[in-house]
Amino acid sequence: MTIYKSLWSEALKIFICAILFWLIVPLVILIITVMTVRRDIFEIRDDRIIHTFGLFSKNEQIILFKNVLDCRVSVPFWGRICKYGDISLSIIGGKRVAIPYAKDPEEVQALLRKYIEKARTTDMAQVLAN
């Protein structure tokens, strides 16, 4: 006669492992997401936007204001309540750059439009001067 150990004797260990698996995996995903979001930076300067991103490596994208065609804001329902939204830039060549979840998107859009107009008038003045 063979006697097998009941699975119920190990049920507590199985239950704890199952709970910890379902707690630890989302916790790791949450930590990676928070670190990624904290490293996704858009810096607005007088003549360009510098987008720095990457978790383990550092990547940089530079967008000149003279190449920007349009600046749009999209604010969802919860964005109106929490004051965030997405800013979308159309760039020469059909490319689009999105600034997701920006705080106070209307103010950022106004600032971007001011810099875009300044870059266009400066560029036009240089063309006319030559």
mmCIF file with all atom_site columns, all heavy atoms in Angstrom, residues 20 35-36 48 66 71-72 96 110 121:
data_model
loop_
_atom_site.group_PDB
_atom_site.id
_atom_site.type_symbol
_atom_site.label_atom_id
_atom_site.label_alt_id
_atom_site.label_comp_id
_atom_site.label_asym_id
_atom_site.label_entity_id
_atom_site.label_seq_id
_atom_site.pdbx_PDB_ins_code
_atom_site.Cartn_x
_atom_site.Cartn_y
_atom_site.Cartn_z
_atom_site.occupancy
_atom_site.B_iso_or_equiv
_atom_site.pdbx_formal_charge
_atom_site.auth_seq_id
_atom_site.auth_comp_id
_atom_site.auth_asym_id
_atom_site.auth_atom_id
_atom_site.pdbx_PDB_model_num
ATOM 1  N N   . LEU A 1 20  ? 1.373  35.748 -2.957  1.00 0.00 ? 20  LEU A N   1
ATOM 2  C CA  . LEU A 1 20  ? 2.590  36.532 -3.149  1.00 0.00 ? 20  LEU A CA  1
ATOM 3  C C   . LEU A 1 20  ? 2.917  36.725 -4.620  1.00 0.00 ? 20  LEU A C   1
ATOM 4  O O   . LEU A 1 20  ? 3.402  37.780 -5.018  1.00 0.00 ? 20  LEU A O   1
ATOM 5  C CB  . LEU A 1 20  ? 3.763  35.879 -2.420  1.00 0.00 ? 20  LEU A CB  1
ATOM 6  C CG  . LEU A 1 20  ? 3.724  35.976 -0.904  1.00 0.00 ? 20  LEU A CG  1
ATOM 7  C CD1 . LEU A 1 20  ? 4.917  35.254 -0.299  1.00 0.00 ? 20  LEU A CD1 1
ATOM 8  C CD2 . LEU A 1 20  ? 3.674  37.413 -0.436  1.00 0.00 ? 20  LEU A CD2 1
ATOM 9  N N   . MET A 1 35  ? 9.255  54.268 -12.411 1.00 0.00 ? 35  MET A N   1
ATOM 10 C CA  . MET A 1 35  ? 10.608 54.686 -12.785 1.00 0.00 ? 35  MET A CA  1
ATOM 11 C C   . MET A 1 35  ? 10.654 55.176 -14.226 1.00 0.00 ? 35  MET A C   1
ATOM 12 O O   . MET A 1 35  ? 11.346 56.141 -14.538 1.00 0.00 ? 35  MET A O   1
ATOM 13 C CB  . MET A 1 35  ? 11.585 53.527 -12.573 1.00 0.00 ? 35  MET A CB  1
ATOM 14 C CG  . MET A 1 35  ? 11.844 53.223 -11.115 1.00 0.00 ? 35  MET A CG  1
ATOM 15 S SD  . MET A 1 35  ? 12.868 51.764 -10.854 1.00 0.00 ? 35  MET A SD  1
ATOM 16 C CE  . MET A 1 35  ? 14.359 52.192 -11.705 1.00 0.00 ? 35  MET A CE  1
ATOM 17 N N   . THR A 1 36  ? 9.908  54.533 -15.117 1.00 0.00 ? 36  THR A N   1
ATOM 18 C CA  . THR A 1 36  ? 9.873  54.943 -16.518 1.00 0.00 ? 36  THR A CA  1
ATOM 19 C C   . THR A 1 36  ? 9.223  56.310 -16.666 1.00 0.00 ? 36  THR A C   1
ATOM 20 O O   . THR A 1 36  ? 9.719  57.167 -17.393 1.00 0.00 ? 36  THR A O   1
ATOM 21 C CB  . THR A 1 36  ? 9.112  53.903 -17.356 1.00 0.00 ? 36  THR A CB  1
ATOM 22 O OG1 . THR A 1 36  ? 9.740  52.641 -17.197 1.00 0.00 ? 36  THR A OG1 1
ATOM 23 C CG2 . THR A 1 36  ? 9.117  54.282 -18.824 1.00 0.00 ? 36  THR A CG2 1
ATOM 24 N N   . ARG A 1 48  ? 13.556 75.097 -28.856 1.00 0.00 ? 48  ARG A N   1
ATOM 25 C CA  . ARG A 1 48  ? 13.401 73.658 -29.036 1.00 0.00 ? 48  ARG A CA  1
ATOM 26 C C   . ARG A 1 48  ? 12.762 72.994 -27.829 1.00 0.00 ? 48  ARG A C   1
ATOM 27 O O   . ARG A 1 48  ? 12.697 73.568 -26.755 1.00 0.00 ? 48  ARG A O   1
ATOM 28 C CB  . ARG A 1 48  ? 14.748 73.014 -29.306 1.00 0.00 ? 48  ARG A CB  1
ATOM 29 C CG  . ARG A 1 48  ? 15.664 73.037 -28.102 1.00 0.00 ? 48  ARG A CG  1
ATOM 30 C CD  . ARG A 1 48  ? 17.026 72.559 -28.441 1.00 0.00 ? 48  ARG A CD  1
ATOM 31 N NE  . ARG A 1 48  ? 17.655 73.605 -29.210 1.00 0.00 ? 48  ARG A NE  1
ATOM 32 C CZ  . ARG A 1 48  ? 18.936 73.766 -29.356 1.00 0.00 ? 48  ARG A CZ  1
ATOM 33 N NH1 . ARG A 1 48  ? 19.754 72.935 -28.783 1.00 0.00 ? 48  ARG A NH1 1
ATOM 34 N NH2 . ARG A 1 48  ? 19.428 74.737 -30.064 1.00 0.00 ? 48  ARG A NH2 1
ATOM 35 N N   . LYS A 1 66  ? 10.839 75.686 -35.140 1.00 0.00 ? 66  LYS A N   1
ATOM 36 C CA  . LYS A 1 66  ? 10.611 76.114 -36.518 1.00 0.00 ? 66  LYS A CA  1
ATOM 37 C C   . LYS A 1 66  ? 10.091 74.978 -37.390 1.00 0.00 ? 66  LYS A C   1
ATOM 38 O O   . LYS A 1 66  ? 9.559  75.203 -38.456 1.00 0.00 ? 66  LYS A O   1
ATOM 39 C CB  . LYS A 1 66  ? 11.879 76.730 -37.119 1.00 0.00 ? 66  LYS A CB  1
ATOM 40 C CG  . LYS A 1 66  ? 13.005 75.758 -37.303 1.00 0.00 ? 66  LYS A CG  1
ATOM 41 C CD  . LYS A 1 66  ? 14.218 76.471 -37.890 1.00 0.00 ? 66  LYS A CD  1
ATOM 42 C CE  . LYS A 1 66  ? 15.338 75.497 -38.140 1.00 0.00 ? 66  LYS A CE  1
ATOM 43 N NZ  . LYS A 1 66  ? 16.489 76.155 -38.736 1.00 0.00 ? 66  LYS A NZ  1
ATOM 44 N N   . CYS A 1 71  ? -0.017 72.501 -32.889 1.00 0.00 ? 71  CYS A N   1
ATOM 45 C CA  . CYS A 1 71  ? 0.017  72.070 -31.500 1.00 0.00 ? 71  CYS A CA  1
ATOM 46 C C   . CYS A 1 71  ? -1.424 71.894 -31.030 1.00 0.00 ? 71  CYS A C   1
ATOM 47 O O   . CYS A 1 71  ? -2.201 72.847 -31.049 1.00 0.00 ? 71  CYS A O   1
ATOM 48 C CB  . CYS A 1 71  ? 0.747  73.111 -30.658 1.00 0.00 ? 71  CYS A CB  1
ATOM 49 S SG  . CYS A 1 71  ? 0.786  72.735 -28.917 1.00 0.00 ? 71  CYS A SG  1
ATOM 50 N N   . ARG A 1 72  ? -1.782 70.662 -30.639 1.00 0.00 ? 72  ARG A N   1
ATOM 51 C CA  . ARG A 1 72  ? -3.159 70.380 -30.214 1.00 0.00 ? 72  ARG A CA  1
ATOM 52 C C   . ARG A 1 72  ? -3.175 69.808 -28.811 1.00 0.00 ? 72  ARG A C   1
ATOM 53 O O   . ARG A 1 72  ? -2.231 69.151 -28.386 1.00 0.00 ? 72  ARG A O   1
ATOM 54 C CB  . ARG A 1 72  ? -3.818 69.376 -31.147 1.00 0.00 ? 72  ARG A CB  1
ATOM 55 C CG  . ARG A 1 72  ? -4.007 69.898 -32.532 1.00 0.00 ? 72  ARG A CG  1
ATOM 56 C CD  . ARG A 1 72  ? -4.701 68.895 -33.388 1.00 0.00 ? 72  ARG A CD  1
ATOM 57 N NE  . ARG A 1 72  ? -4.767 69.398 -34.753 1.00 0.00 ? 72  ARG A NE  1
ATOM 58 C CZ  . ARG A 1 72  ? -5.507 68.880 -35.675 1.00 0.00 ? 72  ARG A CZ  1
ATOM 59 N NH1 . ARG A 1 72  ? -6.254 67.835 -35.418 1.00 0.00 ? 72  ARG A NH1 1
ATOM 60 N NH2 . ARG A 1 72  ? -5.523 69.385 -36.880 1.00 0.00 ? 72  ARG A NH2 1
ATOM 61 N N   . ARG A 1 96  ? 4.377  62.976 -35.835 1.00 0.00 ? 96  ARG A N   1
ATOM 62 C CA  . ARG A 1 96  ? 3.652  63.515 -34.689 1.00 0.00 ? 96  ARG A CA  1
ATOM 63 C C   . ARG A 1 96  ? 4.387  63.137 -33.413 1.00 0.00 ? 96  ARG A C   1
ATOM 64 O O   . ARG A 1 96  ? 4.851  62.020 -33.264 1.00 0.00 ? 96  ARG A O   1
ATOM 65 C CB  . ARG A 1 96  ? 2.230  62.987 -34.633 1.00 0.00 ? 96  ARG A CB  1
ATOM 66 C CG  . ARG A 1 96  ? 1.392  63.417 -35.829 1.00 0.00 ? 96  ARG A CG  1
ATOM 67 C CD  . ARG A 1 96  ? -0.055 63.042 -35.672 1.00 0.00 ? 96  ARG A CD  1
ATOM 68 N NE  . ARG A 1 96  ? -0.787 63.830 -34.710 1.00 0.00 ? 96  ARG A NE  1
ATOM 69 C CZ  . ARG A 1 96  ? -1.254 65.067 -34.913 1.00 0.00 ? 96  ARG A CZ  1
ATOM 70 N NH1 . ARG A 1 96  ? -1.023 65.649 -36.066 1.00 0.00 ? 96  ARG A NH1 1
ATOM 71 N NH2 . ARG A 1 96  ? -1.936 65.696 -34.001 1.00 0.00 ? 96  ARG A NH2 1
ATOM 72 N N   . ALA A 1 110 ? -0.290 77.221 -24.707 1.00 0.00 ? 110 ALA A N   1
ATOM 73 C CA  . ALA A 1 110 ? -0.100 78.656 -24.939 1.00 0.00 ? 110 ALA A CA  1
ATOM 74 C C   . ALA A 1 110 ? 1.385  79.001 -24.994 1.00 0.00 ? 110 ALA A C   1
ATOM 75 O O   . ALA A 1 110 ? 1.825  79.774 -25.863 1.00 0.00 ? 110 ALA A O   1
ATOM 76 C CB  . ALA A 1 110 ? -0.801 79.452 -23.848 1.00 0.00 ? 110 ALA A CB  1
ATOM 77 N N   . THR A 1 121 ? 8.612  83.837 -36.833 1.00 0.00 ? 121 THR A N   1
ATOM 78 C CA  . THR A 1 121 ? 8.906  85.232 -37.176 1.00 0.00 ? 121 THR A CA  1
ATOM 79 C C   . THR A 1 121 ? 10.407 85.461 -37.268 1.00 0.00 ? 121 THR A C   1
ATOM 80 O O   . THR A 1 121 ? 10.874 86.190 -38.148 1.00 0.00 ? 121 THR A O   1
ATOM 81 C CB  . THR A 1 121 ? 8.286  86.202 -36.160 1.00 0.00 ? 121 THR A CB  1
ATOM 82 O OG1 . THR A 1 121 ? 8.725  85.873 -34.842 1.00 0.00 ? 121 THR A OG1 1
ATOM 83 C CG2 . THR A 1 121 ? 6.774  86.166 -36.218 1.00 0.00 ? 121 THR A CG2 1
#
